[in-house]
Amino acid sequence: MKKNIIKASAFLLAFVLSLSAIGGILSYKFNDSTHKISSFYHLPRKSLDVLVLGTSHAFMGVNTASLWKNYGVAAFSLCGPVLPMWNAYYYLVEALKTQSPKVVVLDLFSLTQDFEYQKEEFAIKNTYGLRFSLTKLQSIKASFDMKQKDAYVHYFGLLQTHSRYSELNSVDWLPYYADEAQYKNFTGFQYSLQTKADSEPDFSNVTGTQEPAKKQLQYFKKILELSAKKKIPVMLTMIPYPHANANQYKMMRYGSELAKKEYGIATYDYINTLKKSVGLDYSKDFGDDSHLNWKGTLKLAKAMGKTLTTKYNVADRRGAKKYENTWGQNASYIYNFFDNKKVPAITSADDYVDVVNTERYLTVITYTLRSGKKTPTSIRTFLRSLNIPKEQYMQGGVWILQGGAAQYYSNDRSDGYVKNIKLTKRILAHVETKPKKTEGKTENVYYIYYGGSAKMPSTYGLNIFVFDTFNQKVVDCVAVKGKDDTLYR
Amino acid sequence: MQFTSLIFLFFFAAVLLIYFVVPRFLRPLTLLVASIVFYSSYSVFFAVLMFVTILSTWICGNLIGRLRSRAPDGEQRKKKAILAVGIFFSLSILFVYKYFNFTLENVNLVLGKLHLGLIENRFNFVLPMGISFYTFQALGYLIDVYRGTTRAETDFVSFALFVSFFPQLVAGPIERSDRLLRQIRQCTDTALWNYERVAHGFLQMLWGYFLKMIIADRAASVVSYSFSRIYSVGTVGAVLGVVFFAVQIYCDFASYSTIAAGSAKVLGFELMDNFNTPYFALSIRDFWSRWHISLSTWFRDYLYIPLGGNRKGKLRKYLNIMIVFLVSGLWHGASWTFILWGGLHGAYQVVGDVTRPLKEKLYGKLRVRTEAASFKAARMLATFLMTCFAWIFFRASTLNDAIVYIGRIFTAYDFWNLTNGYIYKIGLERQEMNILLLAIAVLLIVDVLRYRKNIRFENIADRQNVWFRPLLMLALLLTILIFGSYGKNFDTQQFIYFEF
């Protein structure tokens, strides 16, 4: 009997472990929701200072990178698309299991949503990412209308996601959704690069309030009560939204007044009363109809950072290793991302020298010199600026530079592989030569391969491939043909 | 409460838990209550109807039993009369709920031809789940009591459990009193916990789920594709449609029997084998000794033999075969397509029997080595093709549809579809079709093992290392969980035989 019990227990254990592994692979993965909660679980225990709860207005509005860089605030946007208050509440419950935030920032826009249950696709996004626990079951119960046919499947995510086997890709199989640089230290902030001109809503004359939907209000109160019970100050916000209407504003005001009256909680109304402190330009600072763009978030972060550090006394964590490893790394990734965006705009080889010399860039340069031709002046000048010796640049070859320092050189032009280049743990590039017939003559030409395709804007001359080793992304790929200083892409 | 539903799994787990802990004398009552709950989940009224059949059969059985104990060889008339009443009563319920609409339709058809007034159908009877199964099981018992091969069950709980035993209630196997009733009588004495038996039972259940959720429900998509396009499908599509239907109905029905047998085994009961590699049959007669064995043996014992079997000359034997198979067709459904399907199977056997001497003579003259594997394979193929041909009538909605479908096979040639990837365009996406084909290959291996070595699926691991069985169970469990057709993204199919 004892033996049989051991056998059965071992079987059950193996089953649960397999199920958990398979469930993880087959689970839905959404960067606007499940990625956030999953990254939240990776935060060091008791490290979080500011927990941001809200809809996409919050996760695309509260710039956690800027808050860190400029104020040393360790904030995380645990938000979701069209996040209702009940999901925000269960996110808070879940967050408090591992973190002790000093402030909870709650965006009031959720109060304006008038529904008993979200659309299933959103409810899935806002619940499926939670780890299996009573909190998750409660969140699912609150999010799905259990009277609907087969709604119970949401309690066991695999019953819903098992058919995803036909759509799996690297995001499902690899850790950090196949993008370790972005998601290892993700703090929930998503940015928009677009600009959409809009007009500024004017609520200066709106004074009244309007009662929000009952269920939203019920969970809003639960959030305030739980925060009060845990003695965590709450900072209510109204994040700018160009298409907000008077009714929505009144509902947010209702929440604001209730919080002030019953819990003594202040609201930071960046839509109306505090809009000057943010200084948004609605014609430039929004990425789409609903969300701030990068520029807009920088302005909001400035206002919020000041408030968080002065009114809520949130500590400046810059320099502390535990925090730098998460928030520092995350901020670097995001700021690097915007720096990298500037590189493809450079048009002259002369200006490109600084790019190659950037510390985090690994650069692969190939120079195929046509037989019987001399190295043109523009190429010579560029390579000389990179401290490449004359005997090398006069005959061409392959250079690999890290932060401008040469790591490798070869002038082997025989057929086949010249060099494999390990860009990251998983990402490889390689240089090879292939015969090319031009003007009746055949000679070997250097090719740079990355992601299965050749990165070679020009057959002859210089080809420069730039890879950001910190962000683990290709930054640019250009050619200098030699006629002049111009870069070709 | 379908076997493939989550609610059934919870139900079964709860029943197991209670059954294993209740005092021994409460075991039959526990299972009876579970069976009533199970059947009532479909319809309380259906459960009441079943109860009527149970009660009438139990009373008749006991009346015959009393007469038998008073005068074992006497009072035949009385016994026969009670038997007739019992059979009439049960069959009446079956007739009303299963055949009334069909009979009226046909009577109206005749009346219409004769330009007479039609009879209005004031009752639109809905077919209770599994009525044909439990009615036949009850009738088998009554006839056994009449024949004296089984004793009348005086304990109502045991008898009611025998008819309503939930694992096999809705789609068989149609159990016999000398097997299941005997086990029910003994269940208060047997030890429940037997690791090997329970493990075998669970493995068997998993195999059943594999057949249903991986193969049958996927094959159903191909079948629906072909049979819903009878006016446009080509030869290749039509042939694939019927071949996949052969796979679907086998896996669908065998899966129910397998899950039933597995769950019964976990509870400590052995149900009879209902399928034994039917598509490896060498003749149609052989096919019927391997397909729905509980029904074919039922017909053999309670219809064919009482009709005279093969004891009254060749002509009478052929007539009896035809009667049995026409009734078998009718048992499957109140429709001419089923009757024709049964008739075809009867005709196959009669023709096969009539032409046997001629065939043997021909084989002798042509020096055909009938023991050669190639000859056996050819016979298997021929039998499979004949079975498939008959399946067209079984699957088609009407006789006309079946005829059109057959016409498409022989006239709408599109052989280019054999090589251009057409198979991936008939109801299943490439990946789903590949999963189906792979699963059919697994089924083939399992059936070959059964056919050649007589190893049943649940016994595959018996002679292997200790880790093999849990590994096999784990693999099956995960395969079903991942690739099973269940949940919102799949059109889950009801078991086909639920409708019979």
Side-chain angles (χ1 to χ4, degrees), chain B residues 85-98 131 135:
Chain B
V85 168
I87 291 175
F88 178 77
F89 199 82
S90 296
L91 286 183
S92 299
I93 297 174
L94 182 65
F95 174 82
V96 168
Y97 283 92
K98 190 163 178 174
I131 188 168
T135 303

Side-chain angles (χ1 to χ4, degrees), chain A residues 15 120 152 162-163 165-166, chain B residues 218 432 482 484 486 488-489:
Chain A
F15 176 62
E120 192 183 57
Y152 71 88
H162 75 101
S163 57
Y165 57 80
S166 55
Chain B
R218 272 192 179 79
E432 293 298 311
I482 298 168
Y486 66 88
K488 290 189 169 179
N489 300 325

Side-chain angles (χ1 to χ4, degrees), chain A residues 353-377:
Chain A
V353 173
D354 286 343
V355 171
V356 178
N357 285 331
T358 304
E359 193 58 38
R360 65 178 190 277
Y361 290 164
L362 183 142
T363 310
V364 181
I365 301 173
T366 63
Y367 176 30
T368 307
L369 182 64
R370 282 172 85 164
S371 59
K373 305 265 178 172
K374 282 188 175 173
T375 302
T377 313

Side-chain angles (χ1 to χ4, degrees), chain A residues 21-32 34-35 38 164 167-180 182-183 426 473:
Chain A
I22 289 168
I25 293 165
L26 290 170
S27 66
Y28 290 128
K29 290 156 191 92
F30 304 110
N31 63 355
D32 61 354
T34 56
H35 283 24
S38 133
R164 286 198 66 240
E167 57 192 57
L168 296 180
N169 57 37
S170 60
V171 172
D172 297 291
W173 286 93
L174 297 176
Y176 307 111
Y177 316 109
D179 191 348
E180 188 172 337
Q182 183 173 4
Y183 290 112
R426 260 186 289 275
K473 301 280 186 309

Side-chain angles (χ1 to χ4, degrees), chain B residues 108-363:
Chain B
N108 277 337
L109 202 72
V110 175
L111 291 175
K113 295 268 180 207
L114 297 173
H115 305 289
L116 296 170
L118 304 185
I119 303 165
E120 194 189 340
N121 187 355
R122 289 164 189 254
F123 316 96
N124 198 10
F125 293 112
V126 178
L127 184 70
M129 298 272 186
I131 188 168
S132 308
F133 288 92
Y134 70 71
T135 303
F136 269 42
Q137 189 155 311
L139 288 181
Y141 156 82
L142 199 61
I143 298 168
D144 285 347
V145 173
Y146 170 77
R147 286 174 177 170
T149 53
T150 198
R151 71 174 166 83
E153 180 54 63
T154 50
D155 178 32
F156 181 74
V157 171
S158 295
F159 178 72
L161 177 58
F162 163 68
V163 179
S164 66
F165 187 46
F166 76 86
Q168 46 86 243
L169 170 61
V170 184
I174 303 166
E175 276 297 331
R176 300 300 185 78
S177 56
D178 61 342
R179 283 178 56 89
L180 185 59
L181 191 56
R182 179 176 46 79
Q183 292 180 65
I184 290 169
R185 284 170 185 149
Q186 293 166 353
C187 77
T188 50
D189 304 324
T190 47
L192 281 183
W193 181 251
N194 177 320
Y195 183 81
E196 281 301 303
R197 195 202 69 229
V198 171
H200 279 146
F202 278 125
L203 197 55
Q204 207 171 351
M205 285 177 80
L206 284 175
W207 179 239
Y209 283 114
F210 179 88
L211 292 178
K212 171 70 179 161
M213 295 165 83
I214 308 285
I215 303 182
D217 285 356
R218 272 192 179 79
S221 301
V222 183
V223 176
S224 298
Y225 180 91
S226 295
F227 277 87
S228 61
R229 290 169 174 78
I230 57 166
Y231 292 102
S232 59
V233 72
T235 301
V236 173
V239 169
L240 285 173
V242 72
V243 168
F244 275 103
F245 182 64
V247 172
Q248 183 203 350
I249 194 154
Y250 171 40
C251 292
D252 192 282
F253 193 15
S255 70
Y256 188 93
S257 297
T258 310
I259 298 168
S263 47
K265 194 171 276 175
V266 175
L267 290 163
F269 297 86
E270 281 292 335
L271 297 186
M272 69 185 293
D273 223 359
N274 219 11
F275 291 89
N276 180 8
T277 60
Y279 292 135
F280 290 155
L282 297 173
S283 64
I284 292 295
R285 190 177 166 182
D286 188 20
F287 174 80
W288 280 101
S289 68
R290 296 166 177 277
W291 178 273
H292 203 173
I293 300 166
S294 65
L295 181 72
S296 49
T297 51
W298 195 99
F299 275 121
R300 182 196 64 201
D301 295 343
Y302 302 116
L303 187 61
Y304 180 68
I305 292 172
L307 282 171
N310 58 2
R311 303 186 305 276
K312 296 189 176 177
K314 286 233 160 176
L315 207 62
R316 185 66 187 272
K317 176 188 164 187
Y318 296 146
L319 182 67
N320 291 343
I321 289 174
M322 287 308 295
I323 290 172
V324 165
F325 278 93
L326 286 169
V327 172
S328 169
L330 198 60
W331 178 90
H332 280 84
S335 158
W336 287 106
T337 52
F338 289 114
I339 296 171
L340 204 70
W341 169 77
L344 253 178
H345 272 274
Y348 283 155
Q349 294 199 51
V350 171
V351 172
D353 208 58
V354 169
T355 57
R356 186 176 300 130
L358 194 74
K359 279 188 284 184
E360 281 169 3
K361 213 171 174 180
L362 198 68
Y363 297 153

Side-chain angles (χ1 to χ4, degrees), chain A residues 452-488:
Chain A
S453 60
K455 299 286 173 192
M456 221 187 62
S458 171
T459 308
Y460 292 98
L462 286 180
N463 280 300
I464 308 167
F465 171 81
V466 184
F467 186 83
D468 182 340
T469 53
F470 186 91
N471 279 25
Q472 303 185 0
K473 301 280 186 309
V474 175
V475 178
D476 199 11
C477 188
V478 294
V480 182
K481 292 186 178 174
K483 288 176 198 164
D484 52 27
D485 193 40
T486 312
L487 295 176
Y488 295 85

